[in-house]
Amino acid sequence: MGLRGDAAIVGIAEYPHTRKYDGERKFTLSQWAELTRMALHDAGLEPEQIDGVCCSDIREAGMFTPATIVEYLGRPVNFAERIDLGGANAVGMVWRAAAAIELGICDVVVCALPSLPTPRDPSPPPPSPEMFFGASSARWGSPQGEFDIPYGNLAQNCGYAMIAQRYGAQYGYDAEAMAKLVVDQRTSGAANPNAAFFRSPVTVDDVLGSKVIADPLHMLEIVMPVAGGGAVVLASREIAERCNHRPVRVTGFGEHLTIKTPTYAEDLCVTPVGPASRQAFAMAGVVPGEVDAAEIYDCYTITVLLTLEDAGFCAKGEGMRFIREHDLTFGGDFPLNTHGGQLSMGQAGAAGGMTQVVEAARQLMGRADVRQIAGCNTVYVSGTGGVMSEQSALILQGG
Amino acid sequence: MEMKFERPLPQETPVTRPFWQGLRDGCIRLQRCDDCGRWVFYPRSHCPHCLSEALSWHTASGSATLYTYTIARQPTAPHFAEEVPQRIAVVELEEGVRLTTTLVNVADGDIRIGMAVKPVFDRCSEDVTLLRFEPA
Ligand SMILES: [Zn+2]
């Protein structure tokens, strides 16, 4: 079962992530074209070689998104996917692209998640109070609208906070360990010029002294919204060998979806990234101890903690100890989110997970500059959508 | 532009009406599957364990424990600005199902995961009663 490892990421593109974007506002379609151009240029590919796209929502269309994009790019394709997995989009795009390439239906697939501000609409639709419900649907008949929104259980903070509280009751909670996770990631992020928190390390005291947003989560344990976005281009083995960089082969993947609202999870502390990661590792023939870096989706500290456990980097209930005992910076013994993670990059909407994919590719291509890990050959990447609703995992390998 | 944030209330459907009617009557009515015997929440047309359509309504005991909670110190949406801090919780009923709720009549320092809680039927309007919980 699974991939042969013939498809590879061959080019990457990333907007600098910024809290206050002061550049030109661009339509999502324009950003799509720009990121595509950047990623192709990086790989050494020509636009006419594109024959597949993986996209998510765009500002300018509510449906028929892939057709709208390929028309704008002027590129007919044999393969088009619109992914609706929130923060798991980037990982979901990469494995779908790799699978399509291995099936032989396409050779060059662009996966882009642009998230810069778009131009101000001269005749904006009337604002609706429901837009504040975010990822929770208030439509009639929606279970969220009927059984969660009336109780205020919406947005992401309270869901993740309730997971963290439950974890604490079951396994114990060490707020300082969670703060150390932020500190280590922000140390790496301080060395990443694309990160919103470039040159801005923090201390454990900074984290624990930041405002509690929803118990037990402090502000610095939560991603900050930013402008950003990124893209990767994947290609078949034959094409990848002629590209500019060391091919980043997709050798394993997994994806697992369980619930929309965590209230209905069978066990709040056992997350879908477990089955997704087991499949990814098995497919690649790799065990967790063999990875050179882990780029773990980090909307919150608790997300990273549970992924460390459920993906098999440590046992259930051991995550806090694991964080205390390892140096998680890019120079450490367990390099975790070597770009600083989204806790350093900031979160550019559902494009956040693309930072993890791009950084994994950078490390495997040997292009991570001061953050480069020596001899980086195998990287684990995870994606998380909703409130641990849908999660995905990749094993990427160089060569 | 001035936007008005009224508290969002549930709008029942033909499928969920017996549940909301139960709350209006002061009891928790739950579905149980006639085929596999398991309890179901939220109410739906098909059993999420076996996809049977044979779901019948029963009155739950009302015994429950606190599965998890958080205290949201910033409103989760502008609609809840006046309810901060929001004591949002997941409660597990004796029958085994979990539901989203808020805790009432409890000091923050007295909230413990695993504590026994009991239902509070909060009549919000003529049509809508919400199900909240307090220490048992
Ligand atoms: Zn059943």
Side-chain angles (χ1 to χ4, degrees):
Chain A
M1 191 261 302
L3 297 171
R4 297 185 299 271
D6 284 343
I9 297 173
V10 293
I12 57 178
E14 188 171 76
Y15 288 131
H17 285 46
T18 51
R19 184 179 198 168
K20 290 199 172 75
Y21 180 75
D22 52 12
E24 182 195 346
R25 288 171 167 258
K26 299 164 188 169
F27 288 107
T28 325
L29 284 165
S30 172
Q31 297 177 41
W32 239 99
E34 184 171 55
L35 287 170
T36 299
R37 187 181 147 98
M38 288 161 66
L40 289 176
H41 179 76
D42 185 59
L45 292 169
E46 298 299 325
E48 55 269 24
Q49 290 178 275
I50 298 173
D51 53 6
V53 292
C54 290
C55 64
S56 183
D57 297 349
I58 58 172
R59 160 78 185 270
E60 298 81 22
M63 55 175 78
F64 301 108
T65 311
T68 306
I69 288 170
V70 301
E71 176 189 277
Y72 198 84
L73 297 177
R75 295 311 318 152
V77 299
N78 303 325
F79 170 71
E81 284 275 300
R82 176 195 187 184
I83 323 285
D84 183 15
L85 296 171
N89 274 348
V91 169
M93 287 175 164
V94 168
W95 78 252
R96 283 169 175 79
I101 289 168
E102 288 205 0
L103 279 172
I105 57 180
C106 49
D107 289 308
V108 174
V109 181
V110 179
C111 306
L113 286 168
S115 198
L116 295 181
T118 53
R120 291 188 181 82
D121 192 336
S123 49
S128 148
E130 296 191 355
M131 69 195 219
F132 291 94
F133 297 148
S136 296
S137 169
R139 294 182 190 178
W140 188 52
S142 153
Q144 300 136 49
E146 210 171 338
F147 299 101
D148 282 283
I149 291 175
Y151 298 99
N153 185 29
L154 44 84
Q156 316 290 305
N157 292 339
C158 64
Y160 281 96
M162 286 199 284
I163 293 173
Q165 294 278 81
R166 179 71 199 178
Y167 183 95
Q170 270 184 255
Y171 302 105
Y173 199 82
D174 178 355
E176 282 192 24
M178 298 302 257
K180 176 187 178 291
L181 172 62
V182 180
V183 170
D184 284 1
Q185 289 199 191
R186 289 284 294 269
T187 299
S188 294
N192 181 357
N194 271 2
F197 288 123
F198 179 47
R199 292 178 179 153
S200 304
V202 293
T203 65
V204 166
D205 286 345
D206 290 336
V207 178
L208 297 181
S210 67
K211 194 163 50 172
V212 173
I213 303 296
D215 300 39
L217 301 176
H218 299 84
M219 193 175 72
L220 293 184
E221 298 179 76
I222 301 174
V223 283
M224 174 179 76
V226 294
V232 291
V233 56
L234 287 90
S236 59
R237 180 183 288 271
E238 296 68 33
I239 292 173
E241 280 166 1
R242 297 195 298 272
C243 286
N244 292 339
H245 308 291
R246 183 193 195 200
V248 173
R249 296 185 301 121
V250 186
T251 55
F253 73 86
E255 189 166 281
H256 198 66
L257 292 76
T258 50
I259 39 88
K260 171 68 180 76
T261 302
T263 300
Y264 312 114
E266 196 175 317
D267 181 338
L268 261 193
C269 301
V270 177
T271 61
V273 84
S277 302
R278 283 192 288 279
Q279 178 183 308
F281 281 117
M283 191 184 291
V286 168
V287 297
E290 291 173 328
V291 307
D292 300 306
E295 311 294 356
I296 294 178
Y297 193 93
D298 61 327
C299 43
Y300 297 84
T301 45
I302 183 69
T303 316
V304 179
L305 179 92
L306 289 170
T307 303
L308 285 169
E309 295 182 354
D310 291 343
F313 293 104
C314 63
K316 181 52 72 184
E318 295 290 313
M320 302 276 185
R321 188 181 56 79
F322 186 91
I323 291 168
R324 280 194 303 267
E325 291 180 355
H326 291 277
D327 178 349
L328 309 173
T329 65
F330 61 82
D333 61 320
F334 187 86
L336 168 72
N337 286 330
T338 48
H339 59 321
Q342 297 176 53
L343 290 171
S344 300
M345 296 290 292
Q347 184 171 63
M354 190 57 89
T355 71
Q356 261 94 12
V357 171
V358 166
E359 175 69 4
R362 241 188 234 123
Q363 289 285 352
L364 288 162
M365 289 174 174
R367 301 165 64 198
D369 199 23
V370 296
R371 304 188 314 280
Q372 182 63 47
I373 297 164
C376 184
N377 290 307
T378 302
V379 177
Y380 167 87
V381 185
S382 73
T384 296
V387 185
M388 307 281 201
S389 309
E390 50 230 313
Q391 292 185 289
S392 46
L394 292 175
I395 303 298
L396 300 177
Q397 297 187 280
Chain B
M1 190 178 300
E2 191 74 10
M3 224 185 294
K4 209 164 172 297
F5 296 105
E6 286 172 15
R7 194 162 68 167
L9 292 176
Q11 210 179 346
E12 65 187 30
T13 73
V15 174
T16 63
R17 186 159 297 135
F19 172 77
W20 295 111
Q21 184 59 50
L23 296 189
R24 286 190 287 268
D25 296 341
C27 66
I28 303 171
R29 301 190 73 212
L30 287 183
Q31 290 174 308
R32 193 173 60 201
C33 176
D34 293 340
D35 284 327
C36 74
R38 297 178 70 171
W39 294 91
V40 174
F41 189 85
Y42 46 86
R44 42 194 114 182
S45 61
H46 291 71
C47 170
H49 307 291
C50 73
L51 288 184
S52 167
E53 294 175 274
L55 297 169
S56 49
W57 290 92
H58 304 267
T59 300
S61 72
S63 292
T65 53
L66 181 63
Y67 181 73
T68 191
Y69 75 99
T70 188
I71 301 169
R73 297 172 190 280
Q74 288 195 342
T76 55
H79 311 65
F80 299 95
E82 282 162 26
E83 293 181 32
V84 169
Q86 297 163 258
R87 295 171 187 86
I88 302 167
V90 176
V91 154
E92 185 168 305
L93 302 183
E94 187 183 32
E95 289 74 14
V97 298
R98 293 189 202 126
L99 45 81
T100 302
T101 186
T102 56
L103 298 175
V104 294
N105 307 324
V106 62
D108 290 349
D110 294 336
I111 304 174
R112 297 281 179 274
I113 288 174
M115 70 194 242
V117 290
K118 64 178 200 277
V120 173
F121 300 96
D122 178 13
R123 191 179 159 92
C124 301
S125 73
E126 199 156 306
D127 298 328
V128 177
T129 297
L130 289 179
L131 178 57
R132 307 189 193 276
F133 283 82
E134 65 181 359

